[in-house]
Amino acid sequence: MNAIHHETDLLKLYEQLLLIRAYENAIVNGSAAGRMPGTCTSVGQEAAAVGAINALRAEDLILTNHRSAGHLLARGADPGRMLAEVMGRRDGYCKGRSGSLHISVKALGVVLTTTIVGGELSLAPGVALAQRMHNRPGIVACFFGDGAACEGSFHESLNLAALWNLPVLYICENNQWQAFVHRREAMSREQVTDWGAGYGIPVSSVDGNDVGAVLDATRQAAAQVRESGRPALLEVLTYRTRGHLEPDDQGYVDKAELAAWLARDPIALCRDRLLAKGRITDSEAAALAARVDARIAAAVAFAEASPYPSVEELTLDVYA
Amino acid sequence: MNAIHHETDLLKLYEQLLLIRAYENAIVNGSAAGRMPGTCTSVGQEAAAVGAINALRAEDLILTNHRSAGHLLARGADPGRMLAEVMGRRDGYCKGRSGSLHISVKALGVVLTTTIVGGELSLAPGVALAQRMHNRPGIVACFFGDGAACEGSFHESLNLAALWNLPVLYICENNQWQAFVHRREAMSREQVTDWGAGYGIPVSSVDGNDVGAVLDATRQAAAQVRESGRPALLEVLTYRTRGHLEPDDQGYVDKAELAAWLARDPIALCRDRLLAKGRITDSEAAALAARVDARIAAAVAFAEASPYPSVEELTLDVYA
Amino acid sequence: MPTLTLHDAVGAALAEEMRRDGNVIAFGEGIATKRHELVTEFGALRVRNTPLAEGIIAGTAVGAAAGGLRPVADLLFAPFLCYAMDELVNSAGKLRYMSGGQFSFPLVALAMTGAGWGVGAQHNHNVEAWFVHSPGLKVVMPSTPADAKGLLKAAIRDDNPVVFLLDIGLLYQPGAVPDGELLIPLGQAHTVRHGKDVSLISYGKTVHHCLKAAETLAADGIDAEIVDLRSLKPLDEAAILASARKTGRVVIVHEANRRCGVGAEIAALIAEQAFNSLKAPIRRLGGPDAPVPASYPLEQATVPQADAIATAARALCRQLHA
Amino acid sequence: MPTLTLHDAVGAALAEEMRRDGNVIAFGEGIATKRHELVTEFGALRVRNTPLAEGIIAGTAVGAAAGGLRPVADLLFAPFLCYAMDELVNSAGKLRYMSGGQFSFPLVALAMTGAGWGVGAQHNHNVEAWFVHSPGLKVVMPSTPADAKGLLKAAIRDDNPVVFLLDIGLLYQPGAVPDGELLIPLGQAHTVRHGKDVSLISYGKTVHHCLKAAETLAADGIDAEIVDLRSLKPLDEAAILASARKTGRVVIVHEANRRCGVGAEIAALIAEQAFNSLKAPIRRLGGPDAPVPASYPLEQATVPQADAIATAARALCRQLHA
Ligand SMILES: Cc1ncc(C[n+]2csc(CCOP(=O)(O)OP(=O)(O)O)c2C)c(N)n1
Ligand SMILES: Cc1ncc(C[n+]2csc(CCOP(=O)(O)OP(=O)(O)O)c2C)c(N)n1
Ligand SMILES: [Mg+2]
Ligand SMILES: [Mg+2]
């Protein structure tokens, strides 16, 4: 695991990893019990989200997709309002209209979340163009999957951002799956960086299950974007250890591959490091987990108490 | 100029170059006189078409686009039926419904011509898939421009063809222009091969104004596709020396750039070589040009004599 | 009669047609995973997963169809058809005509549509009218597993490109499907209930809402006729006009946005060709001009329900007696 | 009053709005070349050529609009909008609503449409109805240079995404354009001729065919009213219904495919809300359900001409006297 820069506390990252896992588990359990809709969980990919988001600045803007819980929580979104959104309730970040798949929180700089896979890639250059023309300092971090990288928008977006010198940090979370299709059945190359190299921009990849490594790699790529005003591509190699969308029995998943990645669970890796470094004890870890669980339990309660929007809201906000 | 293989007669290629130029000039003049619609001529790009098409076999299939006169004529299409099509007449290859922009001649293996730039790239893998599943020997040559290479379909097509091992020879005619936009204003890289290299397929480029070089390069790329059953990309570097679509005053074109390319006119280059090698005399060249001109004059007469389709044909052939 | 879900009826149609004709192939984002039994029977070349790229999936279907195959391309959810519009509309729909009839495009583009899953407007957008408006395409949307099977088999055999829409709200509802060869010609509506007072014209899940409404109406002494269009293109104009002329009162019901929806076309047809038989205004019930929200109660509220249909029909019949 | 072509009226609107508001930018495949005077005045950052890629052009407009700019994206010809459907429909049209109102998308997507150039169905396909059917978008199609200028200025100032269609057959026809600030609100039809016997409802080039038809009709003693819709969304329902109620006879005319076209929506509206005023069936004249051929006489035959309009109107008026 790479060096964590002193200003960021690994313990803080660990807590975020735990929070995301607890949040996703609440949905797994809630949906299994029929109390919530299923979602595309980020279980197994927590380090990718936490490492990348923590490398960004408050002024930076984030575009994400259907598998966004990690990005939102790491950015400081309230799990209660997120769960309310998942459940289609009035207190959701999008008034219950988004559901889990397109949660945006403009106040946190999480803008234009889309579940059209590849849509985030189409929108990112324009967001960056507005940043630049308004002389605003933040860069634009665009999170997308290996699946999105197969859409034509990947090519169009990278070409335009490179051509127009737009400050977009493309962060591809390559989790080896595109819904029910393995990356190998969809990509002519092993990695998205193989394609990205053609655009004349800095490309790099990183072990996505090592939160410190992701943090460092993202910092470095973000610094390149900030300094050059040009795009960069970072590929975060990780694995979707639960199914595509809850519930999913993963009957189609190669058991050995799954086992290999489960053995490198990002949360376990981080905890082991904290324990090894003496930054936390077993009992402190347990207490932290309990605190996180309590926070999520409160969030669930908040969301469940939130009412459904009224039918009059059906046609509000369609037009500005 | 590269070596011409003995089985192909440079003189034959030269006659095709002349035929294409004469055909395009007939349209330039006819449209200036208001007797024909304007078209996207291939003036300046004749060697690219003639070299590539002559490297293909009769069993191969060709997909092309709006700037297709060279491909069609080199493949043996009748200029009279082509001109009838340009003029929207009944004897056109497509019964006058296509006009100049989407002339297909299935009997010659020129299939699914489309003027949606990038459309040819979307269609090529499927045509190749059918070839393979039916165990037909021909490969699929897909002609497209540098502009088409900017569409997302470029990425999607190359990825799929590489992934599924489809016998597609992608031939990019990079003529430095995308309608009224220079290649430099549209592409983050100098060449389409810079992008193509990312797909794990053979890529190459060639001087597109040297008909012999194009012939050789296409033969080599086609042989790779034939032997491997996998795609390859060949970029043919050339220049559109007339405007995008007749009439076009080219007021937006850099004069020095245009002059430099005009100085390397593919027809003059070929003629000079024939003269230097003693394969033709000045008077033979003049006689050949006169024969070609007469053939085009007859084609114009044929097309002008062809009636317009009747209005009853408006709704024929919509459904099979 | 065996009972199948619509999802399984689609699987049965695919299997039967693939067995019958070696040119039928199927591909899409996950079809080889989700219908793995087809891979087992027909092999990994005829049933394939694809990259996540609807444009090239549809384009490959178009190219393959022109080359003599009969592809079925699964494009998942209707809003994703946005990425395949060029291939479906500009290529599949136009290149036959524009080439003077040189090519044909026997392909089926499958997509799920409609409410029932609560996942919001980027998965739920009923765009069938776009394809009805586009020349050269056929459009089908069945309301029962049996129709799905019979229509899909006919669509696969059809020499034209067919956009075949599966109402996600009906996908896992079981229904009786006759044994043996079942072929339902495209372009034939099905009068699922005969009646004399009012015509309810619909397709997809709202056919079932019409059936429920008809029961309520019957209790009020109103005898509703229900026409299930099944094919939206070709549209069975004769069946629509016959019913409108018979009852003189028409309620058109679908889930898609009313504005420029298929219901507009039907109302316009009737207002032009059965005008003299009309005894009351033509009513359209459809979705609002708003994206479909994820929130379950709001999503349900976008779909015309039996109550609203019965109310509309009753109002037309009152108008008669006034 | 100065005389401008529609093309130049668009240029004037762009220049005025760019002068007024530094957030207005324009980009597309060749706009900086073809409207180079805008580059000269506003600089190469505000007026840009783009790569040949409609998806990213439209997507960049959507992203930029959310970021506070007011982009005008030139997408050239309507069929190329197929490559921008996701960005326009799924993003621009839906993400405001789906985000609970967090974003707005003040952008204009320009495209040319219609007959007049003889280049076939991949350049000429009138798809305005697709966008009317899609929530969250506005749709405008002017019939004169003055309307083009006033509507485009209003569209640029509108906080919603507007699909702005230019009828290519009108693009180089000159027309009077008032000096000074000209703003025409979206959603207001223009009754270009007042009459009492029959309503001709139209937009784009066929408005001019209606005007010609009205002259013939006047000679026959038939007094036609002509409503030029100008905005297809929002649709001026009040103006449509008022005219239908006034004359009781309606001919709807447009160039797009009749099937599920905007004319269907108007007919359906009238059949529902002005039924009791109708004295005759509602007639729709529109393009055939076929791709538009390149051949000039065939292309012209796809467009409803003045003769056909007058014939249809006459038939409705005869029906009255019968
Ligand atoms: C355009 C489009 N096609 C298909 C889908 C259905 N879908 C949702 S998520 C998904 C997989 C996306 O894969 P990837 O981009 O790798 O992201 P991941 O889910 O692995 O995080 C698919 C196919 C969609 N939402 N949008
Ligand atoms: C999808 C699409 N966008 C735009 C156009 C308009 N258009 C026709 S040809 C052309 C330029 C094409 O450039 P390129 O692919 O390099 O081919 P070239 O014309 O240079 O041969 C453009 C923009 C089109 N026909 N299709
Ligand atoms: Mg993935
Ligand atoms: Mg070019």
Side-chain angles (χ1 to χ4, degrees), chain D residues 141-143 167 170 202-209 228-230:
Chain D
M141 188 159 162
S143 71
D167 189 324
L170 303 175
S202 188
Y203 59 90
K205 76 161 71 64
T206 49
V207 169
H208 302 278
H209 301 183
D228 178 357
L229 294 171
R230 304 198 294 199

Side-chain angles (χ1 to χ4, degrees), chain A residues 165-186:
Chain A
N165 297 320
L166 298 173
V168 182
L169 173 53
Y170 292 96
I171 305 179
C172 181
E173 295 179 318
N174 183 341
N175 65 0
Q176 317 301 322
W177 284 99
Q178 313 183 356
F180 306 104
V181 179
H182 195 276
R183 187 255 308 149
R184 268 191 312 271
E185 296 178 281

Side-chain angles (χ1 to χ4, degrees), chain A residues 40-45 48 65-67 144-148 172-179 181-184 187 190 192 208-209 235-244 253 257-258 261, chain C residues 52:
Chain A
C40 294
T41 77
S42 60
V43 173
Q45 303 179 215
N65 61 13
H66 54 284
R67 207 174 295 284
F144 63 105
D146 49 301
C172 181
E173 295 179 318
N174 183 341
N175 65 0
Q176 317 301 322
W177 284 99
Q178 313 183 356
V181 179
H182 195 276
R183 187 255 308 149
R184 268 191 312 271
M187 286 175 56
E190 287 292 307
V192 173
N209 284 21
E235 181 168 10
V236 182
L237 298 161
T238 180
Y239 200 82
R240 188 194 81 190
T241 56
R242 290 197 62 88
H244 169 54
V253 171
E257 184 182 76
L258 178 57
W261 284 92
Chain C
L52 204 168

Side-chain angles (χ1 to χ4, degrees), chain B residues 88 96-99 101-102 114-119 147 150-151 180-181 185-186 245 252 308-310 314 318, chain D residues 29-30 33-34 49-54 80 83 117 119 122-123 288-291 293-295 297-298 301-302:
Chain B
R97 297 198 200 122
S98 157
L101 296 173
H102 352 59
T114 170
T115 186
I116 296 294
V117 175
C150 294
E151 292 279 7
F180 307 103
V181 179
E185 297 178 280
L245 173 83
Y252 54 92
Y308 282 108
S310 74
L314 199 51
V318 179
Chain D
E29 298 161 19
T33 310
K34 288 179 282 177
N49 283 340
T50 63
L52 204 169
E54 291 73 14
F80 313 161
Y83 274 150
W117 201 32
V119 284
Q122 290 188 336
H123 281 76
D289 183 32
S295 186
L298 259 55
T302 65

Side-chain angles (χ1 to χ4, degrees), chain C:
Chain C
M1 257 198 299
T3 280
L4 292 179
T5 62
L6 203 147
H7 178 266
D8 289 336
V10 165
L14 283 170
E16 287 180 19
E17 292 307 302
M18 293 187 77
R19 224 167 272 145
R20 198 185 56 82
D21 181 351
N23 284 316
V24 179
I25 60 172
F27 50 83
E29 297 161 19
I31 193 168
T33 311
K34 289 180 280 177
R35 298 195 186 273
H36 194 74
E37 66 285 1
L38 295 177
V39 183
T40 309
E41 181 170 357
F42 304 106
L45 282 181
R46 287 183 65 194
V47 183
R48 302 183 79 148
N49 283 340
T50 63
L52 204 168
E54 291 74 13
I56 199 67
I57 296 171
T60 300
V62 177
L69 296 173
R70 294 192 167 267
V72 178
D74 186 354
L75 294 161
L76 300 184
F77 289 92
F80 312 162
L81 294 171
C82 283
Y83 273 150
M85 288 303 278
D86 172 60
E87 291 75 10
L88 295 175
V89 171
N90 288 326
S91 294
K94 295 177 184 171
L95 286 180
R96 171 177 178 71
Y97 180 83
M98 298 187 71
S99 69
Q102 293 182 76
F103 306 100
S104 62
F105 299 97
L107 68 91
V108 177
L110 283 178
M112 292 176 278
T113 193
W117 201 32
V119 284
Q122 290 188 336
H123 281 76
N124 176 3
H125 187 191
N126 300 284
V127 294
E128 56 273 13
W130 289 353
F131 301 102
V132 176
H133 191 50
S134 306
L137 303 174
K138 297 190 173 183
V139 186
V140 174
M141 188 159 161
S143 70
T144 67
D147 281 359
K149 185 178 175 196
L151 289 163
L152 182 54
K153 285 167 62 81
I156 292 171
R157 296 188 197 184
D158 199 288
D159 283 336
N160 297 287
V162 182
V163 177
F164 200 100
L165 296 161
L166 305 172
D167 189 325
I168 197 172
L170 303 175
L171 212 53
Y172 299 103
Q173 309 262 335
V177 177
D179 266 327
E181 183 79 328
L182 176 66
L183 276 172
I184 301 177
L186 308 190
Q188 289 189 7
H190 179 206
T191 303
V192 293
R193 188 183 197 280
H194 294 270
K196 63 179 191 337
D197 295 327
V198 59
S199 301
L200 310 179
I201 302 179
S202 188
Y203 59 91
K205 75 160 71 64
T206 49
V207 169
H208 301 278
H209 301 183
C210 289
L211 281 162
K212 228 167 124 188
E215 286 175 35
T216 334
L217 290 168
D220 294 355
I222 297 173
D223 187 18
E225 175 149 304
I226 302 175
V227 179
D228 178 357
L229 295 170
R230 304 198 294 199
S231 294
L232 306 179
K233 190 175 198 172
L235 191 61
D236 191 343
E237 295 191 23
I240 292 167
L241 294 171
S243 185
R245 290 192 184 115
K246 175 178 170 190
T247 66
R249 294 178 207 89
V250 178
V251 182
I252 304 160
V253 190
H254 58 53
E255 189 174 332
N257 188 346
R258 269 167 56 107
R259 276 271 183 262
C260 284
V262 172
E265 177 61 32
I266 296 164
L269 263 180
I270 294 171
E272 184 157 6
Q273 294 182 46
F275 179 76
N276 292 322
S277 310
L278 288 179
K279 301 173 190 160
I282 303 170
R283 282 299 312 275
R284 276 187 298 161
L285 301 184
D289 183 31
V292 183
S295 186
Y296 186 79
L298 258 56
E299 187 202 43
Q300 289 302 304
T302 65
V303 184
Q305 305 288 347
D307 280 357
I309 299 167
T311 303
R314 248 183 244 114
L316 294 190
C317 293
R318 247 198 311 281
Q319 229 153 336
L320 152 82
H321 300 300

Side-chain angles (χ1 to χ4, degrees), chain A residues 111-307:
Chain A
V111 299
L112 303 186
T113 307
T114 171
T115 185
I116 296 293
V117 175
E120 64 287 50
L121 289 162
S122 290
L123 302 174
V127 174
L129 180 66
Q131 290 295 91
R132 224 187 66 191
M133 293 196 69
H134 285 144
N135 289 314
R136 290 188 293 242
I139 67 169
V140 174
C142 178
F143 289 89
F144 63 105
D146 49 301
C150 294
E151 292 279 6
S153 57
F154 172 79
H155 175 56
E156 297 185 9
S157 184
L158 268 73
N159 181 42
L160 189 75
L163 182 74
W164 283 10
N165 297 320
L166 298 173
V168 182
L169 173 53
Y170 292 96
I171 305 179
C172 181
E173 295 179 318
N174 183 341
N175 65 0
Q176 317 301 322
W177 284 99
Q178 313 183 356
F180 306 104
V181 179
H182 195 276
R183 187 255 308 149
R184 268 191 312 271
E185 296 178 281
M187 286 175 56
S188 52
R189 302 299 299 274
E190 287 292 307
Q191 288 201 198
V192 173
T193 47
D194 293 324
W195 294 332
Y199 297 89
I201 60 173
V203 303
S204 53
S205 62
V206 63
D207 173 1
N209 284 21
D210 177 340
V211 70
V214 177
L215 180 76
D216 285 345
T218 312
R219 275 190 178 140
Q220 196 180 324
Q224 287 174 316
V225 174
R226 256 181 253 287
E227 279 151 32
S228 66
R230 304 196 69 231
L233 169 68
L234 171 65
E235 181 168 10
V236 182
L237 298 161
T238 180
Y239 200 82
R240 188 194 81 190
T241 56
R242 290 197 62 88
H244 169 54
L245 173 83
E246 293 300 313
D248 178 343
D249 66 11
Q250 292 178 285
Y252 54 91
V253 171
D254 180 79
K255 288 192 176 48
E257 184 182 76
L258 178 57
W261 284 92
L262 281 171
R264 298 194 65 253
D265 181 75
I267 298 185
L269 287 182
C270 185
R271 190 191 47 232
D272 290 350
R273 183 168 184 230
L274 286 167
L275 289 169
K277 288 217 162 193
R279 297 278 299 280
I280 198 169
T281 63
D282 272 325
S283 68
E284 281 165 355
L288 182 60
R291 267 204 315 280
V292 162
D293 287 344
R295 194 169 161 211
I296 292 298
V300 171
F302 170 83
E304 287 184 335
S306 177

